[in-house]
Amino acid sequence: MDALLTGLSLALTPENLLYAVVGVLLGTAVGVLPGIGPAMTVALLLPVTYNVEPSAALILFAGIYYGGMYGGSTTSILLNTPGESSSVITALEGNKMAKAGRAAQALATAAIGSFVAGTIGTILLVALAPTVAEWVVVLGAPSYFALMVLALIAVTTVLGSSRLRGFIALALGLTIGLVGTATGQARLTFGNPLLADGIDIVVVAVAIFAVGEALWVAAHLRRRPLEIIPVGRPWMDRADWGRSWKPWLRGTAFGFPFGALPAGGAEMPTFLSYVTERRLAGKHRDEFGKGAIEGVAGPEAANNASAAGTLVPLLAIGLPTTATAAVILAAMQGYGLQPGPQLFEAEPELVWTLLASLFVANTLLLVINLPLAPVWARLLRIPRPYLYAGILFFAVLGAYSVNFQWFDVALLCLFGALGFAMRRFGLPVLPLIVGVILGPRLEEQLGQALQLSGGDVAALWSEPVAVVVYVVIAVLLLGPLVLRLIPGRQGPERLADQVDELEEEVRR
């Protein structure tokens, strides 16, 4: 508690509080724009933090992260355009509420639910992350290697309806991570000395998220103007509060555990929250599909609780389980910080300042953005050609500012084309990003384990934790196949298929 109070005092200094406010405003402003989710928001704004102290930069990212999540719900409700797959369920009921003249209530329950879930999730994060870090510090290289394999397998197989596409994306990411001379031998450098140090993850992230998305939207751009539903000040009456507070708590209970698991992500908990609220709706069940407030409150709380949960494996183990967490990990590595148990010991002040800033950012999100909802709605009137031209401009500027070399801009164009192709053929981008980040670390832990054992491969399962993790991996890979053979049972892939079906319904 003392450490948290110290971090809170540092987070509330005028300078850091200003960074938190700027982060919330920037994150919401960029996240509210159509087709731009939190991951793309953080990636696009990475260059903003290059000349900022690490603690201030992480506080800024906390604001951007939570602000981007809020902005995504605004777009889903007013425009029926989810910024990412975790906002699909919000769009399903929220946009129906907006069309029925209840946009203000939908925005209010989303914002307050985000605040409630974010606060509870951050409290759980503060309680669990140090404990997990203390436990992880005693693990050896074989266990670390197994945990990283689990993270790669989980984000590849659990999310999305096609395992093949997931593994193709993962293979692309691992291949990009091999570029360089980290082992003393040149790999995939093609004789170019500029590739000797590898490809900067910032260039890859900005290209895949920002450039790839901009090209994809441009290829499918509709000339007719967007139909934006007008909105006033968000508010809720007594009946709305009565129908929302239980879904907020249930959504939090769904979201945080899914986010904290290596197979994290907000798609499944938001879907499960929606299904649960639909079954528990009672006399309001007929409103589902027509704009039920429970269908916005529960999934939105699950989404934000999951966001807080993803920071547990990120900070305690150094494993990103979502695209946004992967970009934040890349930003921390850019400052020479390696998330994991050593971070809590080497930089305790920095870690606790970051954790405290999450409470600050979550509070600012509610205090600042509820009155500004009409302002964010006006941002949606920016013509999309101008919007994505601006995104491409800042993407190029950000890539160039990494090393101040035009070669990075060329790489940006190359990987931007790859991002476009991945969207064209339905390949998920998260396995690629996680593969680029974890690939070199996976190789490092593998080398350490084999070096300590004299090259004996059996060392990889010589620790009890590693054995347990490999059993979990086997369950992830073989479990859905077994469930398919049991009549009347729904496996994870069927749930993923239903999420994809709902996403297609929103797009239509």
Side-chain angles (χ1 to χ4, degrees), residues 89 91-97 99-100 243 274 278 281 284-296 502 505:
I89 307 299
L92 195 63
E93 295 293 335
N95 188 251
K96 295 285 198 323
M97 287 184 65
K99 289 180 177 178
R243 293 177 59 180
Y274 178 79
R278 190 165 188 163
H284 300 294
R285 183 174 298 181
D286 292 341
E287 294 184 26
F288 276 82
K290 302 174 184 177
I293 195 169
E294 295 91 343
V296 178
L502 287 173
E505 183 177 339

Coordinates of all heavy atoms in Angstrom, one line a residue, residues 89 91-97 99-100 243 274 278 281 284-296 502 505:
I89 N -19.8 -6.3 -30.0 CA -21.0 -6.5 -29.3 C -21.6 -5.1 -28.9 O -22.9 -4.9 -28.9 CB -20.8 -7.4 -28.0 CG1 -20.1 -8.7 -28.5 CG2 -22.1 -7.7 -27.3 CD1 -20.9 -9.5 -29.4
A91 N -21.5 -2.4 -30.5 CA -22.1 -1.8 -31.7 C -23.5 -2.5 -31.9 O -24.4 -1.9 -32.4 CB -21.2 -2.0 -32.9
L92 N -23.6 -3.8 -31.6 CA -24.8 -4.6 -31.9 C -26.0 -4.0 -31.2 O -27.0 -3.8 -31.9 CB -24.6 -6.0 -31.5 CG -25.6 -7.0 -32.0 CD1 -25.5 -7.1 -33.6 CD2 -25.3 -8.4 -31.4
E93 N -25.9 -3.7 -29.9 CA -27.0 -3.1 -29.2 C -26.9 -1.6 -29.1 O -27.9 -0.9 -29.1 CB -27.1 -3.7 -27.8 CG -27.4 -5.2 -27.8 CD -28.8 -5.5 -28.3 OE1 -29.6 -4.7 -28.2 OE2 -28.9 -6.7 -28.7
G94 N -25.7 -1.0 -29.0 CA -25.5 0.4 -28.8 C -26.0 1.2 -30.0 O -26.7 2.3 -29.8
N95 N -25.8 0.8 -31.2 CA -26.2 1.5 -32.4 C -27.7 1.4 -32.5 O -28.4 2.4 -32.9 CB -25.6 1.0 -33.6 CG -25.9 1.8 -34.8 OD1 -26.6 1.4 -35.7 ND2 -25.3 3.0 -34.9
K96 N -28.3 0.3 -32.1 CA -29.8 0.2 -32.1 C -30.4 1.2 -31.1 O -31.4 1.8 -31.4 CB -30.2 -1.2 -31.7 CG -29.8 -2.3 -32.7 CD -30.6 -2.3 -34.0 CE -30.5 -3.6 -34.8 NZ -29.2 -4.2 -34.8
M97 N -29.7 1.3 -29.9 CA -30.2 2.3 -28.9 C -30.1 3.7 -29.5 O -31.0 4.6 -29.4 CB -29.4 2.3 -27.7 CG -29.6 1.1 -26.8 SD -28.7 1.1 -25.2 CE -29.4 2.6 -24.4
K99 N -30.2 4.7 -32.7 CA -31.2 4.9 -33.7 C -32.6 5.0 -33.1 O -33.5 5.6 -33.8 CB -31.2 3.7 -34.7 CG -30.0 3.7 -35.6 CD -30.0 2.5 -36.5 CE -28.8 2.5 -37.5 NZ -28.8 1.3 -38.4
A100 N -32.8 4.5 -31.9 CA -34.0 4.7 -31.2 C -34.1 6.0 -30.4 O -35.0 6.2 -29.6 CB -34.3 3.5 -30.3
R243 N -30.9 -1.0 -14.4 CA -30.7 -2.1 -15.4 C -29.2 -2.2 -15.7 O -28.8 -3.2 -16.4 CB -31.5 -1.8 -16.6 CG -33.0 -1.9 -16.4 CD -33.7 -1.5 -17.7 NE -33.4 -2.4 -18.8 CZ -33.9 -2.3 -20.1 NH1 -34.8 -1.3 -20.3 NH2 -33.5 -3.1 -21.0
Y274 N -22.5 -10.7 -23.2 CA -23.7 -10.4 -23.9 C -24.7 -11.6 -23.8 O -25.9 -11.4 -23.6 CB -23.4 -10.2 -25.4 CG -24.6 -9.9 -26.3 CD1 -25.2 -8.7 -26.3 CD2 -25.1 -10.9 -27.1 CE1 -26.2 -8.4 -27.1 CE2 -26.2 -10.7 -27.9 CZ -26.7 -9.4 -27.9 OH -27.8 -9.2 -28.8
R278 N -28.4 -11.5 -21.9 CA -29.6 -11.9 -22.7 C -30.4 -12.9 -22.0 O -31.6 -12.9 -22.0 CB -29.2 -12.3 -24.1 CG -30.3 -12.5 -25.1 CD -29.8 -12.6 -26.5 NE -30.9 -12.6 -27.4 CZ -30.8 -12.3 -28.7 NH1 -29.6 -12.1 -29.2 NH2 -31.8 -12.3 -29.5
A281 N -32.1 -11.4 -18.8 CA -32.8 -10.1 -19.0 C -34.2 -10.1 -18.5 O -34.8 -9.1 -18.1 CB -32.8 -9.8 -20.5
H284 N -37.1 -7.9 -20.0 CA -36.5 -7.0 -21.0 C -35.9 -7.8 -22.1 O -35.2 -7.2 -23.0 CB -35.4 -6.1 -20.4 CG -36.0 -5.2 -19.3 ND1 -36.9 -4.2 -19.5 CD2 -35.7 -5.2 -17.9 CE1 -37.2 -3.6 -18.4 NE2 -36.5 -4.2 -17.4
R285 N -36.1 -9.1 -22.2 CA -35.4 -9.9 -23.2 C -35.8 -9.6 -24.6 O -35.0 -9.6 -25.5 CB -35.7 -11.4 -22.9 CG -35.0 -12.4 -23.8 CD -35.2 -13.8 -23.5 NE -34.6 -14.1 -22.1 CZ -34.7 -15.3 -21.6 NH1 -35.3 -16.3 -22.2 NH2 -34.2 -15.5 -20.4
D286 N -37.0 -9.1 -24.8 CA -37.5 -8.8 -26.1 C -36.8 -7.6 -26.7 O -36.8 -7.3 -27.9 CB -39.0 -8.5 -26.1 CG -39.8 -9.8 -25.8 OD1 -39.2 -10.9 -26.0 OD2 -41.0 -9.7 -25.4
E287 N -36.1 -6.8 -25.8 CA -35.4 -5.6 -26.3 C -34.1 -5.9 -26.9 O -33.5 -5.1 -27.7 CB -35.2 -4.6 -25.1 CG -36.5 -4.0 -24.6 CD -36.2 -3.0 -23.5 OE1 -35.1 -2.4 -23.5 OE2 -37.0 -2.8 -22.6
F288 N -33.6 -7.1 -26.7 CA -32.3 -7.5 -27.3 C -32.4 -7.6 -28.8 O -33.4 -8.2 -29.3 CB -31.8 -8.8 -26.6 CG -31.0 -8.6 -25.4 CD1 -31.7 -8.4 -24.2 CD2 -29.6 -8.5 -25.4 CE1 -31.0 -8.2 -23.0 CE2 -28.9 -8.3 -24.2 CZ -29.6 -8.2 -23.0
G289 N -31.5 -7.1 -29.5 CA -31.6 -7.0 -30.9 C -32.3 -5.7 -31.4 O -32.3 -5.4 -32.6
K290 N -32.9 -5.0 -30.4 CA -33.5 -3.7 -30.7 C -32.9 -2.5 -30.0 O -33.4 -1.4 -30.2 CB -35.0 -3.8 -30.4 CG -35.8 -5.0 -31.1 CD -37.2 -5.1 -30.6 CE -37.9 -6.3 -31.3 NZ -39.3 -6.4 -30.7
G291 N -32.0 -2.8 -29.1 CA -31.3 -1.8 -28.3 C -31.5 -1.9 -26.8 O -32.1 -1.0 -26.2
A292 N -31.0 -3.0 -26.2 CA -31.1 -3.3 -24.8 C -29.9 -2.7 -24.1 O -28.8 -2.9 -24.5 CB -31.2 -4.8 -24.5
I293 N -30.1 -1.9 -23.1 CA -29.0 -1.2 -22.4 C -28.1 -2.2 -21.7 O -26.9 -2.0 -21.6 CB -29.6 -0.2 -21.4 CG1 -28.4 0.8 -21.0 CG2 -30.2 -0.8 -20.2 CD1 -28.9 2.0 -20.2
E294 N -28.6 -3.4 -21.3 CA -27.8 -4.4 -20.7 C -26.8 -4.9 -21.7 O -25.7 -5.3 -21.3 CB -28.6 -5.6 -20.2 CG -29.6 -5.2 -19.0 CD -30.9 -4.8 -19.5 OE1 -31.1 -4.4 -20.7 OE2 -31.9 -4.8 -18.7
G295 N -27.2 -4.9 -23.0 CA -26.3 -5.4 -24.1 C -25.1 -4.5 -24.4 O -24.2 -4.8 -25.1
V296 N -25.2 -3.2 -23.8 CA -24.1 -2.3 -23.9 C -23.3 -2.3 -22.6 O -22.0 -2.3 -22.6 CB -24.6 -0.9 -24.2 CG1 -23.4 0.1 -24.3 CG2 -25.4 -0.9 -25.5
L502 N -21.3 -12.3 -35.6 CA -21.9 -11.0 -35.0 C -21.1 -9.8 -35.7 O -21.7 -8.8 -36.0 CB -21.7 -11.0 -33.5 CG -22.6 -11.9 -32.7 CD1 -22.3 -11.9 -31.2 CD2 -24.1 -11.4 -32.9
E505 N -22.5 -9.3 -39.0 CA -23.9 -8.6 -38.9 C -23.7 -7.1 -38.7 O -24.5 -6.3 -39.3 CB -24.6 -9.2 -37.7 CG -26.0 -8.7 -37.6 CD -26.8 -9.4 -36.5 OE1 -26.4 -10.5 -36.1 OE2 -27.8 -8.8 -36.0

